[in-house]
């Protein structure tokens, strides 16, 4: 499992790219999102980005079991 600081950075990048992709849908943004999603999956030992995001959020300082990341299923 990656260090929480690395996971925090990856989550932030992914969420920013998701907004950019929703706004303009460029191929470059999608490619970068795919790269970050892959890195998140590898870093958390998961197989899909949604699960990786939940796992990463739970590794961050201050994460609680009732955080919204658990309820996103």
């Amino acid at each position: 499992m990656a260090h929480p600081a690395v996971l925090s950075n990856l989550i932030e990048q992914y969420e920013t790219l998701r907004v950019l992709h929703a706004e303009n849908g460029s191929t470059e943004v999608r490619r970068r999102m795919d790269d970050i999603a892959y890195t998140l999956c590898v870093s958390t030992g998961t197989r899909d980005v949604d699960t990786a995001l939940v796992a990463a959020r739970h590794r961050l300082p201050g994460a609680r079991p009732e955080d919204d990341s658990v309820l996103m299923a």
Side-chain angles (χ1 to χ4, degrees):
M1 186 72 75
H3 189 277
V6 172
L7 294 173
S8 177
N9 182 278
L10 289 170
I11 292 168
E12 184 178 329
Q13 287 184 60
Y14 187 81
E15 290 174 348
T16 299
L17 290 166
R18 187 176 2 198
V19 169
L20 289 173
H21 182 66
E23 289 177 359
N24 67 22
S26 77
T27 303
E28 181 179 334
V29 170
R30 184 66 209 173
R31 187 175 307 123
R32 185 68 182 136
M33 274 182 68
D34 290 344
D35 290 345
I36 296 294
Y38 174 80
T39 303
L40 273 165
C41 288
V42 169
S43 298
T44 58
T46 59
R47 293 181 182 251
D48 68 82
V49 71
D50 293 326
T51 304
L53 288 166
V54 169
R57 286 186 182 114
H58 280 282
R59 294 274 301 155
L60 299 180
R64 298 180 316 270
E66 64 274 2
D67 284 345
D68 66 343
S69 58
V70 175
L71 305 174
M72 291 177 55

